[in-house]
Amino acid sequence: MAELVYTAITSLDGFIEDESGRFDWAVPDDEVHAYINDQEKSLGTYLYGRRMYEMMTGWETDPALAAQSALMRDFAQLWQAADKVVYSRTLERVSTARTRIERDFDPERVRRMKAAAPHDLVVSGSGLAAHAFRAGLVDEVRLFVVPVVVGGGKQALPSGVRLGLELRDVHRFGGGTVHLRYRAAA
C-alpha cells in the first residue's frame, strides 16, 4: 500500500508564505533542489488544491523554467511524469497532461488511491493537506525548514489537528536549510 506524504518548504516560524503571499525566501538553492529531486523519484501522484496546481503548472507549460538548469530540467521531467489530481470546485479544465479534477476531497477515495497506487502519493498545499490531516490520511511529513522568520502568513501545518510523529531523518544543508522527515505515530 502506498503512503500519503505531506511535504512543504516552511520558514522557521512555520509558514509556507508570508502575510503578503510571498515565498521568495523559500526558493531552494542547488543543494536543496537536488535533494528534492531525489525525494520526488519515489512519488507517483500529486494531490493539489487549485492554487497550488496553478502555481506548479509552469513545470509543464513554461519551457523556460526547465531551461534554467539541469536541476530544473530534472524536476520538470519528474513532475510531468507524475499523475496529478486537482481538488477544485471552480477549475473548469486542466492545462497539463496526466491530470484530472475532483470536485470534492473524499477521504475514502484517497484511501482507495493509496491502496491501489504502486508509488507514494504527495499532498501539497496547506489547505488541501489540512483535509488529509483531519481525515487521518497523512503517513509521513517532510518539512524543509528555511532559516528565516517571516512573522506570519499561511501556516505549513493545520490548526486544530493533533498528530503524534516519530522523527525518521534529519538532513542539514550548507545554506542552513534543514530537512525533517517524520512518520505518523501508530
Side-chain angles (χ1 to χ4, degrees):
M1 178 147 125
E3 296 193 337
L4 182 62
V5 176
Y6 171 62
T7 185
I9 299 175
T10 178
S11 64
L12 183 61
D13 54 345
F15 298 98
I16 59 171
E17 60 184 47
D18 67 20
E19 292 175 321
S20 300
R22 292 185 16 232
F23 50 89
D24 53 330
W25 49 266
V27 175
D29 63 20
D30 285 351
E31 182 186 14
V32 174
H33 208 289
Y35 190 87
I36 289 171
N37 286 0
D38 191 51
Q39 297 286 307
E40 297 293 308
K41 292 175 185 173
S42 68
L43 305 172
T45 303
Y46 294 99
L47 308 182
Y48 290 125
R50 180 192 51 81
R51 284 187 62 213
M52 180 61 81
Y53 169 72
E54 288 175 341
M55 185 181 72
M56 296 298 292
T57 60
W59 291 106
E60 185 168 329
T61 62
D62 182 0
L65 272 176
Q68 291 179 27
S69 71
L71 287 169
M72 302 281 264
R73 183 186 63 247
D74 291 347
F75 184 83
Q77 289 171 348
L78 289 165
W79 194 84
Q80 290 171 28
D83 293 323
K84 291 154 287 279
V85 180
V86 182
Y87 294 88
S88 175
R89 293 185 182 140
T90 58
L91 189 65
E92 296 198 19
R93 64 181 192 274
V94 296
S95 58
T96 57
R98 304 181 63 116
T99 306
R100 75 174 194 271
I101 298 173
E102 292 286 336
R103 295 297 173 204
D104 295 297
F105 183 83
D106 178 355
E108 285 308 313
R109 187 164 182 158
V110 174
R111 281 185 183 88
R112 288 192 301 272
M113 287 171 58
K114 285 172 60 174
H119 301 285
D120 290 342
L121 296 85
V122 64
V123 58
S124 290
S126 62
L128 184 62
H131 292 295
F133 275 107
R134 288 187 184 101
L137 293 168
V138 176
D139 301 296
E140 189 169 290
V141 176
R142 298 177 187 174
L143 299 175
F144 290 86
V145 182
V146 178
V148 64
V149 174
V150 299
K154 185 181 284 186
Q155 290 179 230
L157 296 167
S159 297
V161 174
R162 185 179 182 107
L163 177 64
L165 299 169
E166 299 170 358
L167 182 63
R168 292 297 174 98
D169 188 42
V170 176
H171 186 93
R172 292 186 58 190
F173 299 94
T177 295
V178 178
H179 178 250
L180 304 171
R181 186 171 69 91
Y182 293 95
R183 176 118 186 99

